[in-house]
Amino acid sequence: MQTELGRIAALSERVAPSASPLEQEVRKVAWIIAAVAVITAAAFLPVGTLAAHLSLAIALTFSVGLLVANVPEGLLPTITLSLADAVRALARRGALVKRLSAVETLGSTTVICTDKTGTLTANKMRVTEIWTMEEGVAFMDGSTPGNATASLVMGQLVETITACNHADLSPGEGEAVGDGTEVALLRVARQLGASVELAEREQRRVREFHFDPLLRLMSTVDHSSASNLAIHTKGAPEEVLQRSSAMLGADGATRILTDEGRQKVISQYEHYQEQGLRVLGVAWRPLAIAIVPQERDEAERSLVFLGLAAMFDPPRPEVALAVAACHTAGIRILVVTGDASLTAREIARRVGIGDATTPTVTGVQLSAMSDDQLDRLLKTHGEIIFARTSPEAKLRITDSLHAHGQVVAMTGDGVNDAPALRRADIGVAMGQSGTDVAREAATVVLTDDNFATIVAAIEAGRRVYANIRKFVFYIFVHAIPEIVPFLILGLSGGAIPAPLTPLQILSIDLGTDTLPALALGRENAEPGVMERPPRPRGEGLIMLGMLARAWGFLGLLSSALVMTGYFWVLVRAGWHLGAPTGTGTRLHHAYLQATTISFLGIVACQLGTAFAARADRASLRSIGFLSNRPLLVGVAFAIVAATALVITPGLRDIFGNAIPSVEQVCIILPFPVIIWGSDELRKMVVRRYDRRTRTSRPARMPS
């Protein structure tokens, strides 16, 4: 545990996994539903026995019926199936989600902290120019000005980038293996005539100082072409330049690297950065005596500067559209990269991240900041570019964003990224370029390393959460017409017979209600789902607007329709307040028909509610009436199941139903259209109000 890997493991272990926003909301909703169900059922016992004069057994039976009516049996299956369906769809698009609830967390994302190389860019590096101190541009896009291969400086530079390299260009089937930067360096070395066989390089290598993300350097000690030992170094130009004391002249002699020479290198380096190029410095030092340095500091000093290799990694063509979608959806994007600031800024500009006022913070500046200063920076500015940062900086940025209540998606690929990937709400590892440790620590693995895939996952998460809300809305609506009949029974003191039986309620909740409810979890995303801001972290699954629409509008409307049908059947049969309807009375058959109409009326209202629940504000025409095939199957099943419970002799007797007349059936036929149509009118009014509000709102000046 005293090693670097041990330190990273300790950081990762201290990051305890927390419940996702969806898990917290479902737990809260479960307690609310349980409290309402138990209180309602318990309250009916004294009301039923004292006010309605029911026997204790009958009152207890009705209480159990009320309890069942308020408990959404399909809640957990709907959530699970919705998440699983989204996970399957994302897997086809290149995102492997390791935890079901992470899909919804993606939908709640407010900030994406993304790497640059391979995520915003295609990770297809190619060397565009090689620059040396005395020769200037010695190589350009495949052409070689002058006799570049004969240059002593270029020859030594090519030898260095070949020796200090792990990539392999010939593993079989024409596919290169290794880091994209090193593959690009090997390809240009081979183009300039160098031998790039991996076996030869490994045979000449005596010692290696691996790439250090903090030092941003890699060095090897190798047998050179002259059979002497030499140190070959490549890395960030400023780090290589800092450790160089000499330069190699065109004649092969070393000269002191003056301040003027250093400034010349820095100017060329900045020129490349402004073009969005990734730049590596290359240096070398022959060892006078055959003693291999054992410490890194001893090896990477008094180097002879050779030149700069400028590489271009083109932005992915689809990233610009994905970034624009994030901006429309109100999602901030922070670029956290190990590349130089000017390079990161230019690539970010090309894909649409930030503008002229976007701050760029280097790793040195970030390390010098206090936590309060970092908090103010993240709170004051929208998009920020963090350049030359270490992987540990990602952990600090994540903690600061969490302190602001942000839901953070963090990308990473290295071993050192593991703590930040675990700390973020959603850790996103790169499947192609990422390490096993990063993939293990992350929640989502991108098989294509593509930023656009993250945006697709966010859209899927928003769709899942919206579908869960649709299901909750659906069950809340039809709970009202199931509860109102028992309230009427209790408040009337038994003068009005129970409009429903407990078994009819069970047949609704466990039969006709199930498939349409589950089908709502398969609903497609509403138009404009990525044009809304992220859901606030404290926003609940149940909102006052939802309750007003479910209970105060459609719930009461459904209850009014159902009770109208019930009383219409009884009154037409000659019933009056207090008239007996028990077994053996002349009104008993009419009472069974009336309860059957109540049962069928609730089922009919449920079907209308299912179509109304498919969208909160959008019209069903814009979504497509036939777009949700599972819902159509669920509706057909509900109709067949309800019909079977009414016309099948054995089932009819068990559930207390009676075959209604054609006239009575005609009463409930328009119920679904009334429910759906009323909600469509409400949506139309809301949409017009929104358009009028947006039109009358004064235009905001750009900040």
Side-chain angles (χ1 to χ4, degrees):
M1 295 303 289
Q2 304 304 315
T3 64
E4 184 71 11
L5 290 176
R7 185 180 66 83
I8 295 170
L11 283 174
S12 300
E13 287 176 351
R14 286 203 294 268
V15 181
S18 58
S20 70
L22 177 62
E23 291 168 334
Q24 296 172 4
E25 285 303 315
V26 169
R27 189 179 297 116
K28 188 187 303 181
V29 169
W31 277 106
I32 293 174
I33 293 174
V36 171
V38 172
I39 291 173
T40 305
F44 187 81
L45 277 176
V47 172
T49 54
L50 300 178
H53 306 292
L54 300 176
S55 67
L56 181 60
I58 295 177
L60 186 61
T61 301
F62 277 105
S63 294
V64 173
L66 278 174
L67 188 66
V68 174
N70 282 285
V71 174
E73 294 83 1
L75 178 60
L76 294 182
T78 298
I79 293 175
T80 304
L81 290 176
S82 298
L83 294 172
D85 182 61
V87 166
R88 183 179 61 177
L90 287 175
R92 290 195 294 264
R93 298 194 62 172
L96 303 181
V97 182
K98 296 163 61 177
R99 191 176 69 241
L100 282 181
S101 62
V103 176
E104 187 280 326
T105 308
L106 276 164
S108 306
T109 299
T110 59
V111 180
I112 300 176
C113 297
T114 178
D115 193 7
K116 180 188 76 67
T117 304
T119 308
L120 300 180
T121 62
N123 200 21
K124 295 180 179 178
M125 293 277 187
R126 78 175 193 275
V127 177
T128 57
E129 289 187 11
I130 293 178
W131 179 89
T132 63
M133 184 83 73
E134 293 192 353
E135 297 172 291
V137 177
F139 170 88
M140 178 185 296
D141 282 337
S143 64
T144 53
N147 190 8
T149 55
S151 166
L152 293 176
V153 180
M154 274 294 290
Q156 187 58 60
L157 187 147
V158 169
E159 179 181 315
T160 299
I161 62 175
T162 303
C164 189
N165 202 308
H166 284 132
D168 186 6
L169 297 185
S170 56
E173 300 183 5
E175 292 292 332
V177 174
D179 178 75
T181 301
E182 295 193 335
V183 168
L185 292 174
L186 272 195
R187 282 175 174 160
V188 76
R190 183 172 61 183
Q191 183 178 344
L192 293 175
S195 174
V196 296
E197 291 298 324
L198 179 62
E200 292 181 14
R201 284 181 278 140
E202 291 180 341
Q203 186 176 4
R204 291 197 302 265
R205 187 170 300 155
V206 178
R207 184 171 179 79
E208 176 187 341
F209 300 98
H210 64 82
F211 176 77
D212 189 314
L214 295 177
L215 298 175
R216 301 193 298 279
L217 289 173
M218 173 186 174
S219 297
T220 58
V221 181
D222 310 89
H223 289 288
S224 68
S225 56
S227 299
N228 297 321
L229 289 179
I231 297 171
H232 300 108
T233 300
K234 73 175 190 302
E238 61 269 32
E239 300 295 338
V240 173
L241 199 58
Q242 180 182 346
R243 290 163 176 79
S244 298
S245 60
M247 55 169 284
L248 188 63
D251 56 358
T254 59
R255 299 184 180 89
I256 296 176
L257 185 58
T258 63
D259 292 342
E260 181 182 354
R262 294 179 185 274
Q263 187 57 47
K264 186 177 180 181
V265 174
I266 293 173
S267 297
Q268 186 66 26
Y269 174 36
E270 292 177 348
H271 170 70
Y272 284 141
Q273 288 185 76
E274 290 169 355
Q275 300 177 47
L277 301 178
R278 187 174 191 179
V279 189
L280 285 182
V282 183
W284 156 84
R285 176 163 66 93
L287 295 177
I289 55 177
I291 299 179
V292 179
Q294 299 301 312
E295 300 294 333
R296 185 164 207 144
D297 291 341
E298 182 184 354
E300 295 172 341
R301 64 179 178 83
S302 302
L303 298 175
V304 178
F305 186 81
L306 298 174
L308 301 175
M311 290 164 282
F312 181 63
D313 187 9
R316 294 179 182 269
E318 64 275 16
V319 167
L321 291 176
V323 169
C326 285
H327 291 161
T328 303
I331 300 172
R332 294 169 61 190
I333 302 176
L334 306 182
V335 178
V336 186
T337 178
D339 279 352
S341 57
L342 292 177
T343 302
R345 190 182 189 87
E346 175 61 18
I347 293 297
R349 184 194 64 80
R350 293 191 185 194
V351 299
I353 300 176
D355 52 30
T357 63
T358 300
T360 301
V361 180
T362 65
V364 175
Q365 293 170 334
L366 180 61
S367 299
M369 284 184 181
S370 65
D371 290 340
D372 290 339
Q373 289 174 322
L374 179 59
D375 288 343
R376 283 196 298 272
L377 175 70
L378 292 171
K379 192 173 182 179
T380 304
H381 298 278
E383 294 179 332
I384 305 172
I385 297 172
F386 292 95
R388 290 300 191 204
T389 54
S390 64
E392 287 83 357
K394 293 184 177 181
L395 186 61
R396 189 179 174 199
I397 294 170
T398 302
D399 288 338
S400 182
L401 290 170
H402 277 165
H404 300 158
Q406 304 292 331
V407 179
V408 183
M410 173 71 71
T411 69
D413 54 10
V415 174
N416 288 351
D417 292 330
L421 291 175
R422 284 178 59 87
R423 179 70 59 86
D425 298 281
I426 291 292
V428 182
M430 303 298 110
Q432 293 180 350
S433 60
T435 60
D436 289 341
V437 174
R439 289 193 289 266
E440 185 68 24
T443 312
V444 178
V445 178
L446 302 182
T447 59
D448 55 2
D449 292 9
N450 194 340
F451 180 85
T453 306
I454 303 176
V455 180
I458 291 175
E459 182 178 0
R462 291 190 175 190
R463 177 180 67 85
V464 166
Y465 194 79
N467 287 347
I468 294 172
R469 269 189 171 161
K470 292 170 186 176
F471 171 82
V472 173
F473 166 77
Y474 174 77
I475 61 175
F476 273 28
V477 169
H478 73 70
I480 300 299
E482 292 181 8
I483 294 174
V484 166
F486 297 101
L487 294 178
I488 291 176
L489 172 66
L491 295 176
S492 68
I496 299 175
L500 281 174
T501 66
L503 286 181
Q504 285 173 336
I505 293 178
L506 288 172
S507 66
I508 292 171
D509 289 341
L510 301 178
T512 61
D513 186 29
T514 305
L515 289 186
L518 292 176
L520 288 174
R522 301 288 300 276
E523 189 66 47
N524 295 326
E526 285 187 48
V529 69
M530 288 297 285
E531 297 176 4
R532 307 168 190 168
R535 177 173 60 90
R537 198 178 188 102
E539 182 178 290
L541 190 63
I542 301 174
M543 298 187 298
L544 290 178
M546 176 196 290
L547 295 179
R549 181 186 172 204
W551 290 346
F553 180 46
L554 292 186
L556 292 181
L557 180 59
S558 299
S559 301
L561 292 174
V562 171
M563 290 299 97
T564 298
Y566 172 74
F567 285 117
W568 187 86
V569 173
L570 279 182
V571 172
R572 292 270 293 183
W575 174 84
H576 59 83
L577 194 64
T581 57
T583 305
T585 63
R586 69 178 183 87
L587 294 175
H588 181 62
H589 182 70
Y591 168 68
L592 292 180
Q593 286 183 318
T595 58
T596 302
I597 290 299
S598 296
F599 162 67
L600 294 177
I602 291 178
V603 174
C605 288
Q606 283 179 336
L607 301 184
T609 302
F611 286 101
R614 292 185 61 190
D616 182 28
R617 298 192 177 189
S619 67
L620 191 58
R621 182 178 60 182
S622 65
I623 297 175
F625 188 83
L626 302 178
S627 60
N628 191 337
R629 299 291 179 84
L631 180 60
L632 299 179
V633 174
V635 167
F637 171 80
I639 295 173
V640 171
T643 304
L645 293 177
V646 173
I647 66 174
T648 305
L651 295 176
R652 182 174 65 237
D653 297 335
I654 292 174
F655 287 89
N657 293 319
I659 298 178
S661 65
V662 175
E663 183 183 24
Q664 293 169 351
V665 172
C666 289
I667 294 173
I668 63 174
L669 287 180
F671 283 8
V673 178
I674 293 173
I675 294 296
W676 167 71
S678 299
D679 196 62
E680 282 289 304
L681 289 175
R682 181 199 67 84
K683 294 174 185 175
M684 184 177 65
V685 172
V686 170
R687 289 195 300 270
R688 287 184 177 178
Y689 174 78
D690 288 345
R691 286 196 296 268
R692 192 179 303 115
T693 303
R694 287 195 297 266
T695 303
S696 60
R697 187 180 299 143
R700 293 180 59 188
M701 294 296 292
S703 57

